[in-house]
Amino acid sequence: EALDCLDSAYRLYGPENVIGSYNGGKDAVVILHLMRAAHAHYYEGSMVAQTDGAIVSSMIAPRVLYFEDKDEFPEVMGLLKETVESYRLDMIAFSRDSYSFASGLEVLVNSAHSQACMAFVLGTRTCDPNAGGQGQFSPSSSWMPAFMRVNPVLNWTYGHVWHFLRKYNLPYCSLYDEGYTSLGSTLNTLPCPALAKPNGDGYWPAYLLSDWSQERAGRVSVDPKKSEKKAAKRACTSLSEVDADLAENNVDELSSSSSSSSSSELSAGIQRTVGLIIIGDEILKGQTSDTNTHAAALAFRSNGVPLIRVVVVPDDLDEIANEIKRMEKEVDIIVTSGGVGPTHDDVTMKSVSAALSSPLMLHTEMADLLKGKMGLQNEDGSDLSEAQIKMATLPACGKLRYLAGEDEWPTLECRNIYILPGVPQFFEKKVETLAAYLSNSDLVNSVTCKLVLSVDEVSVVPMLNEVVDAHPHVSFGSYPFVGHPEFHTVVTLEANECEGPNRIARRRSSTFRESSIVNVDGEHMTSRSSVMSRSSETTIEPFSKEQMELHVKLAVTDLVGALPENSVLRVDNDDAHLCE
């Protein structure tokens, strides 16, 4: 996409009038090398054969523009000088003491070859503060000279930039290896606080930044006094007090910190684990693809709710009921998918009823809802058809939860079981709403890091095993991508929530639930029974957010130090990017 954009720019404006903005920053370096490729492609086949057999070229050097700043980093000036000489660039430089950005551009526009429109190639990305509303080709603002802005990397992420630079081993400013992530001048730029190493020994390189929203976190006020104060504040907050104390002392003491919670209510800020039961013969027979598991995993993970078990069962009452009973011993919340329609094989309601010993009964609220949605009467004059009566017959303990507002179709809750439809487009919407409902802002979300590597998995196994053994509070994953053109291995690191093999903390003591009991006279009684098999286990105290972050930081430090040189392309924070 980026090269296609530049090919169009060269075709429309010609190499004389295509000028790249080159200030030595990472985006500018990307633009430079993309322009070099497009420049060469434009001239491909343009060699002119002379009568004496000699070959000459009409190629001009790639043109770049630089505005010199007296407060420029020496490292940036060094890179500019080196690359201009190495790649024989035609650099046009303006001093900021004599020219503003607009006046310098006006000089170039007025001197354009054949008075043609000029195109300036920029490193603007959609996440940049000045990107608002721009496309790959955007005319200049009304207060500027008339020219075309060309934005070939508009849709790139921070991760794409570093992947490109490191994959092709392109030279970039050394400041990026010292923790700088966005370069301004010496007056307004500091290393990114998010890259501070946990032991206080400097900063990680820019390509290891996992939270891309922190790209400009090192930019400060141009007022030197304000800069010093802001820098000091960021230095103090970049690592928590827990980080500073524990990194210098004993990391094993992390497990001694505790938080307490004894309530099992949804509003109490506890960490609830989730199990998913996919119901359907068609899934087990391969007649239909199971997309609901993936949708559920994404929804729960994005909301910090651990999905720890997924089971697929047939449309069989006993199988479903038995699986609910088994899963209740392992998780706090059960979500079912499928088997809730009016046909003969939709047996989820009967299964939940049997598992919870809660008899089926006509649910008045559901019946009224069906009447309202489907009309007051059916064609035969009855209020509800046989199929609608089945849909309104629910376990006695069932409650309708309007998790997305009164206008949305409700979700059925039967104690700790949430019953969702199996149709993927309906399930996905419902599970996203449910995940947000089960989430709690007070909970500790997952702390993860994903390293994208240029080397094969087999080459990193020995050092990966050593780092895994050295960091028991972090879960590692290694995934080979055989034949992938951009990378070969992805290593994930995720902080365990607590110490021990379970990794997920139980944040309460015992839990009581109401059980519906029907006596011989058919009367309903209610009892409170303790779910001792699951909830009265020894309480495992969770790690704090700061502790989890420190665990991952220390593990990343060791892993990056052990991996082959230049093998880390980038740190990725979005699963979708791995498919690009």
Side-chain angles (χ1 to χ4, degrees), residues 152-426:
V153 297
L154 189 66
N155 298 321
W156 285 31
T157 65
Y158 180 89
H160 286 132
V161 170
W162 282 109
H163 189 119
F164 179 81
L165 293 175
R166 292 183 60 75
K167 177 178 173 60
Y168 297 105
N169 197 28
L170 299 173
Y172 55 80
C173 182
S174 61
L175 290 174
Y176 289 115
D177 286 335
E178 299 174 16
Y180 291 80
T181 51
S182 177
L183 297 181
S185 72
T186 56
L187 298 180
N188 65 2
T189 311
L190 294 170
C192 179
L195 289 173
K197 292 183 178 180
N199 55 11
D201 184 22
Y203 294 81
W204 281 317
Y207 60 84
L208 289 182
L209 182 66
S210 59
D211 183 358
W212 299 341
S213 68
Q214 297 296 306
E215 177 182 355
R216 299 178 65 84
R219 292 294 190 97
V220 296
S221 169
V222 294
D223 185 327
K225 293 183 178 180
K226 291 183 180 180
S227 295
E228 290 177 6
K229 293 181 180 179
K230 196 168 184 180
K233 182 177 180 181
R234 287 187 173 179
C236 291
T237 57
S238 62
L239 290 174
S240 67
E241 293 180 2
V242 174
D243 284 1
D245 292 339
L246 295 178
E248 293 178 4
N249 296 293
N250 191 347
V251 177
D252 292 335
E253 294 178 4
L254 288 169
S255 58
S256 65
S257 177
S258 65
S259 62
S260 62
S261 175
S262 60
S263 172
S264 62
E265 297 300 321
L266 291 181
S267 61
I270 62 172
Q271 181 75 320
R272 294 167 297 278
T273 58
V274 176
L276 174 64
I277 301 177
I278 303 291
I279 300 167
D281 290 338
E282 68 278 7
I283 300 294
L284 292 170
K285 294 176 180 178
Q287 297 170 334
T288 302
S289 298
D290 172 26
T291 60
N292 288 351
T293 295
H294 184 245
L298 290 177
F300 287 123
R301 181 180 178 84
S302 64
N303 283 279
V305 180
L307 175 65
I308 67 171
R309 187 174 298 278
V310 178
V311 178
V312 182
V313 296
D315 295 304
D316 181 87
L317 190 155
D318 292 334
E319 290 280 359
I320 300 170
N322 289 335
E323 186 54 48
I324 290 174
K325 293 176 182 178
R326 280 193 294 268
M327 193 173 282
E328 270 202 314
K329 300 176 182 179
E330 302 294 333
V331 302
D332 302 305
I333 302 293
I334 296 175
V335 178
T336 69
S337 165
V340 295
T343 61
H344 70 284
D345 58 348
D346 293 316
V347 295
T348 298
M349 295 304 175
K350 292 181 180 179
S351 303
V352 173
S353 172
L356 300 182
S357 299
S358 180
L360 291 172
M361 59 181 293
L362 187 66
H363 195 287
T364 304
E365 184 180 353
M366 177 60 83
D368 291 342
L369 183 64
L370 289 170
K371 291 177 185 179
K373 294 288 186 181
M374 301 179 180
L376 292 177
Q377 289 186 331
N378 291 286
E379 293 181 359
D380 61 0
S382 62
D383 286 344
L384 291 173
S385 67
E386 181 180 349
Q388 293 164 353
I389 290 175
K390 181 179 180 180
M391 293 175 65
T393 302
L394 310 175
C397 63
K399 298 178 181 178
L400 299 184
R401 298 295 190 188
Y402 293 85
L403 305 181
E406 293 291 335
D407 295 332
E408 296 291 331
W409 193 266
T411 297
L412 178 61
E413 174 191 338
C414 296
R415 297 184 189 139
N416 66 328
I417 302 174
Y418 292 86
I419 301 170
L420 305 188
V423 179
Q425 56 264 43
F426 299 144

